[in-house]
Every structure is written in structure tokens, then in C-alpha cells.
Amino acid sequence: MSEQMLDISKIRIDGDTQPRLAIDQVVVAEYADLLESGTDFPPVQVVSDGAVHWLVDGFHRYFAHRQLGRDQIRAEVTTGLLEEAQWLSLGANRTHGLRRTNTDKSKAAIKALMMRPELSDHVIAEHVGVSQPTVSKYRASIEEARRKRLGTPGAKAGGDKSYQPPTRIGRDGRTCVARPGRKTSDSRRTLTPLRRSTPPAPMTALSMPHDPVMGARTLIELFKPDYLRALVAHLSEHLKGVAQ
């Protein structure tokens, strides 16, 4: 890891390395005021493969510098690829910076489980900065959906008998078969939709700033390029018939 001044234009924020649900524009404005008054902020965290620099921690500081029109920002640079940047970002703001909301924590925990399902709940909880029961709850939901999709041993006709019990890698690096989660009472059981043939499309709740530039930046942080291209195409088509 090395600390250096980086050109802000070289830092990428479109690699799905922002674990928060949305940027808090009030905090960005507060940071910008503090920067103008001479406050020295800690460096942002960046992962680089030598050609691309992915921001993994310090998004509010990054946008505060952009708001002030600054060309460079102090950064600690770690060598790695995009996947490593995405993984490291899930542990951002555990002990510093703007406190994460429960929704932010949930998003990070679920993404960690999807990225590294082989790790134990304890390891993921430590990395993300949430409790082990929280990780276990989300893992149970994910695996229940997987079992319904693949079938389980002894399932009725039509189920896939190839299901294998999951394994986990613990803190000591040893691999073991995961113990099944404790069944919950009917009152706490996760409800499943009656119509399973067409699962609901995933949605992301966010607060959009009224400033179009900051709104665009928020969308860039949260969504992948393919989604943004489709969104622009639909908006362009809609605006053709809208009077200016």
C-alpha cells in the first residue's frame, strides 16, 4: 500500500464498489465546507491494477473534492483487481466515517454472501462489520431459495437430486460442512409469494438529489453500465414527445 496524490479524473466509481445505498448530499456539502476551511481529511482508499483505479472507501470525501473543483485527492493505493476492490469495499466505514444505515449493512452482508459463499458466517460478519446472526439470517434466505430451485435430497419427483450440503471456510482456513440453520416458528418464517413463475424484479430504493449532475453521479455509483444505457434510451424515447 502506498499513499499518493491521485488525479480525480483517473479514479473510477462505476465498478460496483459503493456499498451504501446512496450518497448523502448533506454530508458531501459539510465535507466540502470543512475542506475549504483547511481541515485535513484522511486519504481515500483505492485499489489499482496499474491501469484502473477503483475507489473503495471515501466516496463522500471524493464528491466533496469534486464539488470544490479540485483536481487531485490524497489516496492510499492497494494493488488488486476489480473483484478485490468490490470485496474490500464491503468492509468500508465499519469503524470510521459516516455511520452506515441498517439498509447499507444489509446490502453489504448480502453482497458478501453472494461473492464469497464459501466463507463462514463469522468470517463474513467480521469483514462486513455486522453480527453473525444477521449474516446467518441472510444466508438462510439465499440457500432456501437455492434449495427450492435445485431440489433437495429426497425431494418429490421433478426435484434435482444433485444437491450437495454447503461447506464453509472458517477463520483458521479449515473447510467443514455447514450445519443447517435452526428452524424458525411459523410466525417468523419468511413468506413466499404465491406466484413463483414470475419472481419480482429486483429494486433499489434511493433518495435522488434535485441537482441533475449529482443525481447522475448517484445513479452511476449504484447501477451497472448496461442498466444506465437502457435507462438513457428509455428516457430519450420518452422525452421525444415532451414539450420543452
Side-chain angles (χ1 to χ4, degrees):
M1 180 184 295
S2 63
E3 184 175 314
Q4 55 188 276
M5 295 297 294
L6 279 182
D7 290 342
I8 288 182
S9 61
K10 293 182 178 179
I11 297 177
R12 297 276 296 273
I13 60 172
D14 59 341
D16 195 21
T17 58
Q18 165 60 292
R20 294 186 188 275
L21 195 62
I23 291 295
D24 189 327
Q25 303 303 328
V26 174
V27 174
V28 171
E30 290 177 353
Y31 283 9
D33 288 341
L34 290 171
L35 284 169
E36 268 197 314
S37 67
T39 301
D40 187 26
F41 279 80
V44 298
Q45 304 295 315
V46 172
V47 171
S48 173
D49 62 3
V52 181
H53 298 78
W54 302 104
L55 182 63
V56 300
D57 190 0
F59 278 82
H60 287 88
R61 283 166 278 164
Y62 167 87
F63 280 112
H65 279 71
R66 289 283 296 267
Q67 185 169 303
L68 294 175
R70 298 192 176 182
D71 297 325
Q72 292 188 317
I73 189 170
R74 192 157 58 99
E76 287 186 350
V77 183
T78 302
T79 300
L81 300 177
L82 175 57
E83 184 178 359
E84 183 175 1
Q86 293 171 339
W87 176 250
L88 291 175
S89 73
L90 301 178
N93 298 123
R94 287 178 302 176
T95 58
H96 67 274
L98 178 65
R99 178 174 294 183
R100 298 175 299 173
T101 65
N102 289 335
T103 304
D104 293 336
K105 295 176 184 178
S106 298
K107 178 185 174 184
I110 292 171
K111 185 176 178 181
L113 284 165
M114 300 300 288
M115 287 189 69
R116 304 279 177 85
E118 74 279 4
L119 297 180
S120 71
D121 293 350
H122 288 285
V123 172
I124 288 181
E126 288 180 356
H127 180 70
V128 176
V130 298
S131 68
Q132 175 268 317
T134 295
V135 176
S136 298
K137 177 184 70 174
Y138 288 123
R139 188 192 292 276
S141 297
I142 293 171
E143 292 187 349
E144 177 65 18
R146 177 179 180 273
R147 282 194 293 270
K148 289 180 178 179
R149 186 172 64 252
L150 298 180
T152 57
K156 300 292 184 180
D160 184 353
K161 306 303 189 297
S162 63
Y163 173 81
Q164 296 295 326
T167 58
R168 303 284 177 264
I169 299 176
R171 297 191 193 96
D172 57 2
R174 297 175 60 186
T175 301
C176 60
V177 175
R179 292 178 295 179
R182 185 178 61 183
K183 292 184 178 180
T184 59
S185 63
D186 290 341
S187 61
R188 298 178 56 191
R189 187 173 300 157
T190 302
L191 296 177
T192 55
L194 296 177
R195 297 179 60 186
R196 297 172 183 168
S197 58
T198 55
M203 298 181 66
T204 299
L206 70 159
S207 299
M208 284 291 289
H210 290 184
D211 180 357
V213 175
M214 298 304 291
R217 291 174 180 171
T218 300
L219 292 175
I220 289 171
E221 294 165 28
L222 292 174
F223 298 101
K224 295 181 179 180
D226 288 345
Y227 174 87
L228 295 175
R229 293 189 190 98
L231 179 63
V232 170
H234 284 293
L235 289 175
S236 299
E237 186 68 23
H238 168 74
L239 292 174
K240 287 180 181 179
V242 178
Q244 294 186 355

